[in-house]
Amino acid sequence: MKILVCISHVPDTTSKINFSDSDSKFDPTGVQFVINPNDEFGLTRAMWFKEKQGAAVEVVTVGGPEVEPTIRKALAIGADSAIRVDIPAVDGLQVARELAAVVKDGGYDLIIAGRESIDYNGGMVPGMLAELTGAEFVNNCIGLEVEGNTATASREMDGGKETVTAGLPLVIGGQKGLVEESDLRIPNMRGIMMARKKPLNVIPAANSSVETEFVKFEKPAPKGAVKLVDEGNLDELIDLLHNEAKAI
Amino acid sequence: MSVLVYTESEQGKFKKSAFEAASYARAVADQMETSVTAVAVNQDDVSELGNYGVDKVLKIASSEAFNAKQYAHYIKQAAETESADIIVLSSTADSRYLAPILAVGLNATYASNVIEAPSSVSPFTVKRTAFTNKAYGLLAMHSDKKVIGVSSNAFGLVEKPVQTTVSDFNPELVNSSLAVQSIDKDTGQVSIADAEIVVSAGRGLKGPENWGMVEELAEVLGAATACSKPVSDLGWRPHSEHVGQTGKPVASNLYIAIGISGAIQHLAGVNASKVKVVINTDPEAPFFKAADYGVVGDAFEVVPKLIEKLKVFKAQNA
Ligand SMILES: Cc1cc2nc3c(=O)[nH]c(=O)nc-3n(C[C@H](O)[C@H](O)[C@H](O)COP(=O)(O)OP(=O)(O)OC[C@H]3O[C@@H](n4cnc5c(N)ncnc54)[C@H](O)[C@@H]3O)c2cc1C
Ligand SMILES: Nc1ncnc2c1ncn2[C@@H]1O[C@H](COP(=O)(O)O)[C@@H](O)[C@H]1O
């Protein structure tokens, strides 16, 4: 079995978000980047397939040279090889088209992506990639097994859970549940040393067109101070929620 | 070239998010001086859509229960029949699932988490949340066709009664090897995604045996119950209740956080809620900085009192 894990390189949630160029661009100065959390769950599940079922695991990212530390981290966690498609990622459809070009000749059985990236929160690359390559797709995936040519996958729905079977190749939009938090791995020294010797192939982009652009970013207006209500006066809270906030 | 909207329903009832999507589609259609066509699958009674400005409804009788690829192709065919360039969907799990498939099918770009009517229709520019609610971005979409995913509880319901024509639509089926084996629905509960009010509790509640009051508060308010990540990791509550950056997103009208500190990863997933109330013993808990209303106090005393007072309030305002 051959697995491709799509990795998006995102600012850690605790980073302060700032913009430059008259608020039209995200400013990465001083920001710590990490593997998108949803992709980390997927990568860990891929390692399970590698260890239990002998799968070969390749990771891919679309981005400039600045994303290499993130993809190296995926190699240190245990992926066998990596691909970087050498073009800045600016739009979900563009990224999906670039990834589709990688998938087309790759012979992957399983393509693991995340339900959304925590930077632009598009939630679109996996579904687009599936449709562009003619693969089946399961979003919000919280459980995945493969036997022979059939995958069994569970997805979280609003108010429940659905389990499906699908033929391969399959693309998933993964999330927590694929593995638990406690299963996530921190790269150890040996992994980091080995990662240096693993192949990281930089390939030219297909130069897919970019059809959207952020013209301006803004931050939410600073929140007014919280209104504190004394615990002996909960009627006031109910009154505020009813008459002021109109929430009950 | 009307604006197309997918109006989702469940068990013969439209979801509230369907009316929100329809309201949004109407606003776009007004800006573009055109009409609104809705697609409804396996929904007999579509009369309510007229209240939200839907001029025409295409009714599809599907032999298949929800299948994202199938439904995306239904909507694609409807868009082609109506020569629609703009397709509006809600932010339910199912709509988010099918939207990217639909976008590729139509060669369209897709904007998710959209919170306002377009600021311009040429170029088509929408405001959406980004960086997990830490910023907004104005996105200009230059493709001919666009798929717009509207956030819950952001644009709201806008009534605009019109005459609606209804016709049956019989799209072709697509091939899919995907087959549903089982569905486990949390029966009888309000789901976090559909809920107007979410009552959520954290590690401050000390143990699963103390959740009775959380459930009771939710029941009085007609709310869904949720929890912080450690609570589900500890097995106190099911994983389906975990909200936050790595859990379910919440965009309710009212979010009540009991014994939750307000870590950034928790806030990232719930900040889109309109009104936030915090009940916490520690006045320094970070959640107070993100909240609208707060009570500094012991949940074990505050929550039962609040339940009693809300019962009185509900009885008076019924
Ligand atoms: C990558 C990553 C992703 C994460 N994703 C999520 C996520 O999606 N969702 C999430 O929730 N967390 C997430 N976390 C964890 C997050 O950082 C916090 O650890 C977590 O939210 C804390 O949960 P808590 O507030 O319930 O517990 P605590 O931080 O232990 O807070 C308990 C609170 O209860 C209060 N309290 C104690 N006793 C009482 C009482 N009697 N009455 C009232 N209040 C009381 C305390 O003052 C305290 O503020 C993530 C962390 C990481 C690193
Ligand atoms: N630049 C990228 N390179 C590789 N994979 C990506 C990239 N951007 C997004 N993805 C994948 O698509 C998922 C969803 O991203 P998005 O649609 O941007 O929210 C991520 O979790 C990744 O698995």
Side-chain angles (χ1 to χ4, degrees):
Chain A
M1 178 166 39
K2 215 172 149 188
I3 303 178
L4 183 68
V5 183
C6 306
I7 303 279
S8 117
H9 156 96
V10 297
D12 181 67
T13 346
T14 53
S15 324
K16 288 254 180 306
I17 300 297
N18 289 308
F19 302 101
S20 61
D21 293 29
S22 323
D23 288 334
S24 67
K25 281 201 173 58
F26 169 66
D27 180 3
T29 316
V31 169
Q32 165 145 20
F33 283 87
V34 295
I35 297 176
N36 185 39
N38 291 314
D39 301 344
E40 216 179 330
F41 292 113
L43 177 62
T44 309
R45 188 64 194 163
M47 297 323 302
W48 185 92
F49 284 116
K50 176 178 154 127
E51 284 153 17
K52 298 280 194 287
Q53 300 188 355
V57 178
E58 185 150 59
V59 289
V60 62
T61 189
V62 178
E66 70 282 0
V67 308
E68 282 194 9
T70 302
I71 200 104
R72 283 270 176 221
K73 189 178 166 199
L75 289 172
I77 287 172
D80 301 305
S81 57
I83 299 173
R84 176 170 71 82
V85 181
D86 188 22
I87 195 160
V90 286
D91 164 276
L93 186 53
Q94 170 226 11
V95 169
R97 284 173 175 152
E98 292 296 337
L99 292 172
V102 172
V103 166
K104 220 173 94 217
D105 307 314
Y108 303 101
D109 303 293
L110 205 55
I111 295 123
I112 298 180
R115 76 161 184 216
E116 73 171 14
S117 311
I118 62 167
D119 51 4
Y120 297 98
N121 309 102
M124 64 176 98
V125 169
M128 288 177 165
L129 176 59
E131 190 64 8
L132 286 168
T133 57
E136 293 294 347
F137 174 49
V138 174
N139 203 18
N140 294 102
C141 188
I142 52 172
L144 180 64
E145 311 266 350
V146 177
E147 223 172 293
N149 266 325
T150 310
T152 304
S154 307
R155 80 165 170 114
E156 191 170 81
M157 313 186 287
D158 293 338
K161 172 178 150 178
E162 178 184 77
T163 303
V164 301
T165 51
L168 303 179
L170 170 72
V171 177
I172 65 153
Q175 63 180 58
K176 187 190 160 209
L178 269 180
V179 299
E180 286 314 316
E181 194 94 21
S182 50
D183 299 325
L184 294 179
R185 300 173 189 196
I186 298 161
N188 57 22
M189 213 16 133
R190 186 161 166 269
I192 294 167
M193 296 301 286
M194 278 171 64
R196 291 196 188 141
K197 295 194 200 102
K198 289 178 180 172
L200 192 170
N201 300 313
V202 179
I203 63 169
N207 288 317
S208 308
S209 55
V210 173
E211 296 166 283
T212 65
E213 74 184 299
F214 279 105
V215 284
K216 197 173 176 53
F217 289 101
E218 53 192 63
K219 292 199 217 172
K223 210 166 172 58
V226 59
K227 276 194 189 166
L228 290 180
V229 176
D230 192 83
E231 64 172 306
N233 196 8
L234 294 175
D235 285 318
E236 187 191 340
L237 178 65
I238 293 173
D239 182 63
L240 286 167
L241 288 177
H242 182 60
N243 291 313
E244 186 178 84
K246 311 229 180 292
I248 58 172
Chain B
M1 60 149 273
S2 57
V3 173
L4 196 78
V5 57
Y6 171 52
T7 47
E8 212 174 300
S9 57
E10 196 170 5
Q11 297 179 334
K13 255 189 82 174
F14 281 114
K15 296 189 172 175
K16 181 193 154 211
S17 59
F19 299 138
E20 217 173 345
S23 304
Y24 188 93
R26 181 73 254 169
V28 176
D30 287 346
Q31 277 176 280
M32 299 176 62
E33 297 177 9
T34 180
S35 58
V36 175
T37 302
V39 179
V41 183
N42 290 344
Q43 171 66 23
D44 251 3
D45 179 4
V46 296
S47 56
E48 279 177 287
L49 292 177
N51 298 340
Y52 302 97
V54 173
D55 302 292
K56 180 175 172 186
V57 184
L58 298 178
K59 275 171 69 166
I60 298 173
S62 174
S63 53
E64 268 199 71
F66 181 78
N67 171 317
K69 190 167 165 184
Q70 188 65 67
Y71 278 40
H73 281 263
Y74 289 157
I75 302 167
K76 171 181 183 256
Q77 292 171 59
E80 283 164 355
T81 307
E82 295 290 298
S83 323
D85 288 342
I86 314 264
I87 297 91
V88 178
L89 300 96
S90 71
S91 287
T92 63
D94 286 357
S95 284
R96 282 178 193 268
Y97 186 1
L98 68 81
I101 304 175
L102 171 65
V104 165
L106 288 170
N107 209 5
T109 54
Y110 167 44
S112 55
N113 305 326
V114 170
I115 55 167
E116 280 176 10
S119 58
S120 141
V121 289
S122 175
F124 200 87
T125 308
V126 288
K127 191 173 185 177
R128 62 183 298 276
T129 54
F131 298 98
T132 335
N133 300 312
K134 282 195 264 186
Y136 303 113
L138 266 186
L139 185 76
M141 305 169 82
H142 300 294
S143 52
D144 292 341
K145 297 199 166 89
K146 296 114 189 153
V147 176
I148 308 294
V150 200
S151 282
S152 305
N153 291 315
F155 185 74
L157 299 179
V158 183
E159 296 209 17
K160 192 174 182 206
V162 295
Q163 285 290 332
T164 308
T165 59
V166 180
S167 52
D168 290 325
F169 186 63
N170 297 303
E172 283 168 24
L173 295 174
V174 292
N175 274 329
S176 165
S177 69
L178 201 136
V180 175
Q181 303 298 323
S182 64
I183 294 180
D184 303 309
K185 274 265 176 196
D186 316 335
T187 46
Q189 289 168 354
V190 189
S191 83
I192 292 170
D194 296 335
E196 301 250 327
I197 304 179
V198 174
V199 175
S200 187
R203 200 149 53 180
L205 287 207
K206 317 276 189 289
E209 66 281 4
N210 297 326
W211 246 262
M213 62 181 187
V214 177
E215 285 175 343
E216 196 180 348
L217 179 58
E219 198 182 312
V220 176
L221 290 167
T225 51
C227 68
S228 68
K229 188 167 89 67
V231 165
S232 71
D233 287 348
L234 289 162
W236 296 357
R237 298 296 291 176
H239 280 298
S240 55
E241 280 197 2
H242 159 206
V243 296
Q245 180 198 290
T246 46
K248 286 209 172 93
V250 182
S252 54
N253 262 330
L254 176 60
Y255 184 77
I256 303 180
I258 306 165
I260 298 177
S261 58
I264 195 154
Q265 298 89 355
H266 184 88
L267 293 178
V270 306
N271 242 341
S273 294
K274 278 222 180 100
V275 180
K276 291 173 278 282
V277 177
V278 174
I279 300 169
N280 197 305
T281 39
D282 176 8
E284 302 294 319
F287 215 138
F288 283 111
K289 290 207 176 63
D292 302 280
Y293 304 102
V295 181
V296 178
D298 185 342
F300 296 99
E301 285 166 26
V302 175
V303 176
K305 270 196 270 175
L306 186 59
I307 291 170
E308 289 319 309
K309 290 191 181 290
L310 276 169
K311 280 184 180 161
V312 175
F313 167 81
K314 287 279 173 188
Q316 283 166 356
N317 287 271

